[in-house]
Amino acid sequence: MNAKRSSVSGALLDWYDAHRRDLPWRAKPGEAVDPYRVWLSEVMLQQTTVAAVTPRFLAWTARWPDFASLAAADDADVMAAWAGLGYYARARNLVKAAKAVVAEHGGDFPRTEVELRALPGLGAYTAAAVAAIAFGERAVVVDANVERVVARLFAIETPLPAARPAIRVAADSITPDARAGDFAQAMMDLGSGICTSRAPKCLLCPIRAFCEGFKQGAPERLPVKAKKAAKPQRYGTIFWLERDGQVLLVRRPDKGLLGGMRAFPTGPWGDVAPGFEDAPAQADWRMLDVTVAHGFTHFDLQLTLAVATVEAHQPRVPTASEWWPIDELDTAGLPTVFAKAGKAIRNGAIRRAA
């Protein structure tokens, strides 16, 4: 082991032993690590904060505590339980991976990065994290927090994302052979609580003495980020069709954005507002003077709200649809953008536009 690896990993692990975060997916000292909980937490935490994930993780594991129970779960229930966490392909891949673990591995998670990468939804990061944390394998684990720590520790000046290969090489150079999982979690904790994006707490950092960014006097400027291109703007219409205290919901196609989720019917999402195009039924539709905005990874969306009320007899509606009690709409598991629209309408948008 080279001198810097030994010095950095030793100092960081000593700090971690004293200051490790108590998180519901982490095994306490002396406890056996549950690979299912490690894997689930790593998938949930992608692009999502610890604060947002913690209650959802607890609810999820109470309902589906292991691979077998998740493999047997109804897809619609899983998607509803995931609602609001975003990046919904993650939820679909969780079920696919659980089924593969049960069918192909006897219910036991594979231990190596190569085998883990073969499961649905396990990319390089997730496979490395599970291999290191769950099984103690030496693996190079680089998430956004680790990326920031390493860029500062080695003063890597190349802007992201072009810097990522160099960051990975640097991270590999300090990853120890023993306690690789603890080291990975220590780096995550350090980035989350000490080596933060803004105003890093360098005086509290256990590896400050080895940090080139700190020596240069401005660690907060690293990692350098390339200027983001402006996201395109798209427009659409959400349709709220109501009857007898119920609202019409549809199941979005399995493939594509928000695939498999319950949602309000929509028109196309494009460069211009589509008006009443693709309304789910013939009705006396009217537009509200309220819009809902939502940002996706690759575009921003502005939605107008069209509402109508029909009599008790059911109009002709799409086959993949259901009438849902408005008072129980919070239990439908709507994606965030549709939950926003439903809230706007239920909070009086219809009355104001009447």
Side-chain angles (χ1 to χ4, degrees), residues 238 252 258 263-264 266 269 334-343:
I238 281 180
R252 293 181 63 84
L258 309 179
F264 301 121
T266 74
W269 294 352
L334 299 179
T336 301
V337 60
F338 294 100
K340 286 181 183 178
K343 184 177 180 180

Side-chain angles (χ1 to χ4, degrees), residues 207-229:
I207 57 175
R208 180 183 71 244
F210 314 104
C211 182
E212 296 300 321
F214 175 75
K215 292 176 184 177
Q216 292 176 4
E220 66 280 355
R221 70 180 183 81
L222 298 170
V224 179
K225 295 183 179 179
K227 187 176 180 181
K228 291 184 179 180

